[in-house]
Amino acid sequence: MGRWLFWGVLLAIAGGAVSVWRGWLDVPPQWNPWAPLDIKAAPNWLTGYKLMRLRSDPELCAQALSSSDLRVSPQADSPGAKCPLIGALRVQGGEVALSSSFIASCPLAVAYAMFEHHTLQPAAQSVYGQKIARVDHLGSFACRNVYNRESGALSRHASADALDIAGFRLADGRTISVLKDWPKQNQDAEFLRQLRDGACESFSVVLSPDYNAAHRNHFHVDVGRWSVCR
């Protein structure tokens, strides 16, 4: 009896999934695994899957990005370069200003928009009672190996899939620095830890000063295929 019940439940789930995929069963977009990601919608257990799908579907990624407030401009493809970029974007900021624009793959731009909307500003309001006005970063695209080694694997920076975030400026002009404030036991350190933990919901990899000394002055965030949150 138990075995038949198991197979019956499994078939019902599979049938429901097919019905949603075919459009025979109408469900809200946030609960439809095949509906485009809406960056401003509250994340749920399907968000990670929707973010993963963007890596292999440029059209779907562009559709998701259009639901954000980010200002972006397309960059010329460079298929013959040592570190080729196809479909890269220049991110120029949105509700939150940037210390400078940066080059990003579409999935990185989407993940950054998710982080800004669902982690950065809510944490700032919770801890400081005000918004973040600017994000300071150390760059994104760099055609190099991991840790600038002469040999070995290419960094995620080499495909514009990574960004190094160094600090933040509040609306009242105060600044929070990963280098200076992470080691402290105060409000600023609490804020930075909230950001590190929350960023792991948007990015595949988040490396903070807790990871190693090479990250003492920034958060490395990327949209690679590995999953690390430290």
Side-chain angles (χ1 to χ4, degrees):
M1 178 68 179
R3 184 177 64 178
W4 290 113
L5 179 62
F6 168 78
W7 284 111
V9 171
L10 190 63
L11 286 171
I13 292 173
V18 170
S19 296
V20 172
W21 177 56
R22 291 286 190 180
W24 300 334
L25 181 63
D26 189 25
V27 298
Q30 65 268 32
W31 297 112
N32 183 345
W34 297 280
L37 174 69
D38 182 349
I39 287 173
K40 294 182 180 178
N44 59 35
W45 59 276
L46 286 174
T47 303
Y49 171 72
K50 290 189 174 188
L51 285 167
M52 181 181 67
R53 289 183 66 205
L54 305 183
R55 299 174 191 162
S56 57
D57 193 329
E59 184 176 339
L60 192 63
C61 191
Q63 192 171 358
L65 191 58
S66 69
S67 69
S68 79
D69 292 325
L70 279 187
R71 299 187 306 276
V72 301
S73 56
Q75 297 297 289
D77 292 343
S78 56
K82 180 181 177 182
C83 296
L85 291 181
I86 307 295
L89 305 165
R90 180 169 291 279
V91 178
Q92 298 161 327
E95 180 187 356
V96 179
L98 296 166
S99 54
S100 63
S101 63
F102 64 86
I103 300 295
S105 65
C106 181
L108 177 65
V110 169
Y112 176 81
M114 291 283 294
F115 165 73
E116 181 183 298
H117 188 77
H118 296 289
T119 296
L120 180 59
Q121 294 294 35
Q125 289 286 1
S126 173
V127 176
Y128 300 108
Q130 58 181 299
K131 291 186 175 183
I132 291 295
R134 191 180 79 182
V135 170
D136 297 327
H137 67 87
L138 305 177
S140 55
F141 175 66
C143 187
R144 62 174 176 82
N145 295 330
V146 175
Y147 295 124
N148 286 302
R149 292 168 179 154
E150 291 186 6
S151 60
L154 283 172
S155 166
R156 298 310 307 185
H157 287 283
S159 53
D161 281 332
L163 176 68
D164 291 338
I165 300 175
F168 309 89
R169 176 170 292 181
L170 291 163
D172 66 6
R174 287 182 55 199
T175 59
I176 300 99
S177 161
V178 175
L179 176 63
K180 295 179 181 178
D181 296 315
W182 183 270
K184 298 177 182 178
Q185 300 293 324
N186 63 7
Q187 185 182 52
D188 297 335
E190 176 193 344
F191 171 69
L192 290 173
R193 280 161 176 78
Q194 282 193 31
L195 294 189
R196 190 271 310 275
D197 295 346
C200 299
E201 301 298 320
S202 300
F203 299 97
S204 305
V205 172
V206 179
L207 304 179
S208 72
D210 280 354
Y211 185 65
N212 62 17
H215 296 86
R216 66 188 180 281
N217 67 340
H218 68 278
F219 295 151
H220 168 97
V221 296
D222 76 47
V223 290
R225 299 192 180 279
W226 299 104
S227 180
V228 181
C229 181
R230 285 192 57 188

